[in-house]
Every structure is written in structure tokens, then in C-alpha cells.
Amino acid sequence: MADVVIVGGGLTGQAAAMLLAADGHRVRVLERDPAPPATTADEAWNAWERRGVNQFRMLHYFLPRFRATVEAELPAVAAELDAAGALRLNVFEGMPETMSGGFRPDDGRFTALTGRRPVVEAAVARVAARTEGVEVQRGVAVKGLLVGEGHADGVPHVVGVVTDDGEELRADLVVD
């Protein structure tokens, strides 16, 4: 039994899994799309299919707080994104001094991160695959929640999920 089951293995699900694993949890991520992540940026853009993600061929623009959090909490992800060619942008660097007052020493905190979504997701997936305590299962869809005994004010106590194949996966926490 995993401590945590995360339904959805995209960027957010895998990042959450890595953070939880760093905190000592065993995490199982269930991803309904069966294709494994691409190994290169070109393969991610040209060949990797994720039918479950509507905006898969679009740009991902991560605000400065995301970049700072990833650098602090998931440095391997930041390194993998850089290696895959993610672009760092700071609007103050290209802004005329008459408008910005000039680039200041602490303006680096406004640096954002961007890349094509398939490339970003593949980079995050590669790090998740190497993360101890994280297991990503691809091609697994969830059809419902597994409910245990007891309710709190009419709210069911969720103890796991049921996959489309009928398998019951129990966990202390389910994140959907």
C-alpha cells in the first residue's frame, strides 16, 4: 500500500509526488496516458502523445514564484529543465532604464521560466522516475474512489481508488 495515491501524472501530480516523497511518504502516481515520457526535447515535441492533456502542444509559462520554489524544493527538476533548454526570462533585463529605473541586485527574483509543455513534462517525468519513494504507473485510469467505514458529518472517508480494471489501490491519502 502506498501512503499516497495521486490521480493524474502530469507536471503537478509528479511534482507533488516528489515533494511528498522528500517528506518520507511512499507515493504512487496514476497516469491514464500509457506512453512513457520522451527522453529528449525533440522527441517530446515531435512524438510524445498525451491525449489526456488538451493543451499539450502549447507553451508553459511558469511565474517567478514557481521557478523559485522549484529551485529551492526540487533542484533536480530545475537542473533537468535547464538541461532540456528551458528559457529563463526577466522582464527587467530587456526594459529600458527610463521605464525600470535600471536592473537592481534583487530583480533576479522576477525571473520566470518557460518551455514547450511536452518538453517540460518530460523533464519533470524523468526526475520523478529517478526519485526514491515515487512510483509512476502509466496507462492506469481511475473510475472511482474507495470508501471506508465511518463518515464525518456525511463526508465519506476515502481510503483509496478503484481503477478501470477493477483493482483497488488503498492509501492513507488520495489526491485527485
Side-chain angles (χ1 to χ4, degrees), residues 27-91:
V27 185
R28 182 182 297 183
V29 180
L30 305 177
E31 170 54 53
R32 68 180 167 183
D33 288 328
T39 57
T40 67
D42 284 340
E43 180 187 339
W45 179 251
N46 294 316
W48 193 27
E49 293 295 328
R50 297 266 332 268
R51 298 200 188 285
V53 181
N54 291 333
Q55 306 88 4
F56 194 58
R57 295 282 174 231
M58 298 187 79
L59 176 72
H60 240 1
Y61 187 85
F62 301 104
L63 296 175
R65 175 51 93 186
F66 172 88
R67 180 210 36 85
T69 300
V70 164
E71 288 174 349
E73 301 293 334
L74 298 170
V77 170
E80 191 80 21
L81 290 170
D82 286 336
L87 179 63
R88 292 168 180 266
L89 299 169
N90 188 309
V91 295

Side-chain angles (χ1 to χ4, degrees), residues 5-19:
V5 168
I6 296 178
V7 179
L11 171 75
T12 306
Q14 291 183 82
M18 289 183 277
L19 290 169

Side-chain angles (χ1 to χ4, degrees), residues 1 31 42 81 99 107 157:
M1 175 175 87
E31 170 54 53
D42 284 340
L81 290 170
M99 184 63 114
D107 282 347
H157 177 71

Side-chain angles (χ1 to χ4, degrees), residues 74-154:
L74 298 170
V77 170
E80 191 80 21
L81 290 170
D82 286 336
L87 179 63
R88 292 168 180 266
L89 299 169
N90 188 309
V91 295
F92 288 111
E93 289 177 339
M95 190 182 293
E97 278 192 39
T98 55
M99 184 63 114
S100 70
F103 194 80
R104 298 184 177 127
D106 67 339
D107 282 347
R109 73 182 192 270
F110 299 114
T111 300
L113 189 63
T114 188
R116 295 184 186 273
R117 184 173 181 147
V119 178
V120 170
E121 281 205 25
V124 171
R126 288 191 298 271
V127 178
R130 300 190 304 258
T131 301
E132 186 175 333
V134 174
E135 175 189 358
V136 179
Q137 291 183 287
R138 298 190 179 279
V140 178
V142 172
K143 73 174 179 181
L145 298 174
L146 194 58
V147 179
E149 297 296 320
H151 299 274
D153 295 326

